[in-house]
Structures are given as structure tokens and as C-alpha cells.
Amino acid sequence: MPQTVRSATLQDIPSLIPLLLADAEERRVTDPILWNVAHDAAQQVEKALIYALSAEPQPFRQIWQVAQEAGRVVGVIHSMLLPVPPIYAGAKGDPGLILPDACVAPDAPEGTVDALVAACERALMAAGAQIILSSYVTGPAWQETFVRRGYDPLTLYLSRSPLDALDMPMAVRPAAQGDVAGIVRRSAEHRQILFGIDPFWAIHPDSDARFAAWMSRSLTLGDRDMLVMGSS
């Protein structure tokens, strides 16, 4: 039986919370350090959903959709229009991004995952996306669906190493303003590698100046550590 997929509403929040907590737990099992679940996760999820489904304006366009079967919510998918980083050309506008907080109930009918992804693609294209990307969604059903629908690996955007188990090499030190020029040079090499992998990463002509300005600002922010190796 075809799934009914529709936009989520505030009234769906009680049904969405257990689904999103189940998604969080599935990720926690795969990596308990990276995906450590907050003690008040249910309250945080509820707060985030209320904001996402009611606040105007928002810093970016996000879309929440649910799969419904016999009046019951059996799945959820979350997507957004992804602002193009200023170091890239973005000739095709903001791409659509399917986010990792997607989940279906264990007893959801067969085809629910595919129905959610298809509806999500339609919603993103209707919002203006010419390119659709997906973050890694946990679970073989999701991965098989993305492969079947023609998604190809694009880049490893985030990775983690167990830094808590390692001694920091003595050559690694906090970045300073004098390091920005060198950081920009390394970034330029990285951008060329990405562009060689896929033309999605087309480089903005002012990328070096834009990246230098962002690195200088990042040095003043207290929510991150910037580390470098070698002389400035």
C-alpha cells in the first residue's frame, strides 16, 4: 500500500519525539563517544521541533516530513536548503540536503523509507534545489535506498579520531593570526583536490580572501579550537 507522506505539524511532535530518540540511540550504538545522547534528549528534541515547525523567520529553510499509515506517524525525514559556503561558486544555487535525523518505526510498512526519500526530493526541488545531497543516515534500509536512487559518494565531510586516547604531538600548537596565510594556502590545495573529485566543488574567484576573513574571525570565537602544525 502506498505511504502517505506529508509535511509535519506541531500536532505530530508527540509522535516524532520517540522516533528521533530511536534514531539517536541507533547512532549511539554505532559510536557511543561521537553520538553520546544527552540526559534531557526528549526535552531538547521537543524544543527543537517546536522552533523548526513554528518560528519565522529562520536562518535557513528546513523541511520536516512524516510518513503516515492508518492515522499513525510511522516515519520522519528532515531536510534543508544548504547555504553554499562562500569559498565555492554555487552556480546552481543552494543544494538540498537530506539530514541524518531520519527514522522509521520498526513496524512501518515496506517501502516507507523509499516513500520518505522520494517525497523529500520532491519538496527540495519545489523549494528550488537543483542538486540534492544526503548526509549519512544510519541503517541499511536508508543506505540501500540512496544507492538505489542513484546517490554517489561525494566527500567525507566530518571524521573523528580518538584524540582522548592520544598524546598531542609537540609540533601541534594553537593557531594564531600569523598562521592565516598558511592556512589559506593549505585550504586552496584542498579545494583543488575536491574540485578534481567532483565539479560540485567549483571554486569562487574570491575564495582565498573570503577564507582568510573567515579564519581570522574564527580565531576570535570561543566555541572551537584551531590547531596547526609547522611554522607560520
Side-chain angles (χ1 to χ4, degrees):
M1 177 179 178
Q3 300 302 297
T4 298
V5 179
R6 58 171 175 79
S7 298
T9 69
L10 289 170
Q11 288 68 41
D12 295 317
I13 289 178
S15 299
L16 295 179
I17 291 173
L19 282 172
L20 293 171
L21 291 180
D23 165 59
E25 177 61 19
E26 188 171 4
R27 278 187 269 170
R28 188 198 67 79
V29 169
T30 64
D31 192 325
I33 295 177
L34 182 63
W35 299 114
N36 185 29
V37 179
H39 67 90
D40 60 344
Q43 291 80 9
Q44 293 293 332
V45 167
E46 180 179 27
K47 179 180 177 181
L49 286 171
I50 291 173
Y51 174 80
L53 297 176
S54 63
E56 292 288 349
Q58 298 190 24
F60 51 83
R61 170 76 181 276
Q62 58 176 318
I63 302 169
W64 286 88
Q65 295 168 285
V66 297
Q68 185 171 312
E69 176 71 15
R72 183 172 71 97
V73 172
V74 295
V76 59
I77 194 165
H78 182 202
S79 60
M80 63 179 282
L81 288 182
L82 179 68
V84 177
I87 59 175
Y88 297 108
K92 294 188 176 181
D94 292 348
L97 174 65
I98 301 174
L99 293 157
D101 42 355
C103 187
V104 297
D107 59 348
E110 185 178 354
T112 299
V113 170
D114 192 72
L116 281 167
V117 174
C120 186
E121 292 170 345
R122 291 193 296 269
L124 288 170
M125 288 187 288
Q130 298 183 48
I131 297 173
I132 297 179
L133 312 170
S134 174
S135 299
Y136 182 86
V137 182
T138 307
W142 292 94
Q143 295 308 306
E144 291 166 5
T145 294
F146 287 124
V147 170
R148 189 166 57 249
R149 298 186 69 85
Y151 287 73
D152 293 318
L154 181 64
T155 185
L156 175 62
Y157 181 61
L158 294 174
S159 61
R160 179 186 70 85
S161 60
L163 295 178
D164 57 329
L166 301 174
D167 292 327
M168 183 69 71
M170 292 186 63
V172 176
R173 57 178 175 78
Q177 185 61 41
D179 297 311
V180 169
I183 293 172
V184 171
R185 286 194 293 272
R186 298 289 80 77
S187 174
E189 294 169 0
H190 180 245
R191 293 195 296 272
Q192 288 292 342
I193 292 171
L194 284 178
F195 181 63
I197 293 172
D198 195 290
F200 171 81
W201 301 106
I203 301 168
H204 193 281
D206 298 327
S207 58
D208 282 352
R210 292 182 172 197
F211 190 69
W214 175 237
M215 289 297 97
S216 294
R217 171 159 169 70
S218 294
L219 287 171
T220 70
L221 301 177
D223 65 347
R224 67 203 64 196
D225 294 321
M226 294 178 60
L227 303 175
V228 294
M229 187 173 181
S231 65
S232 54

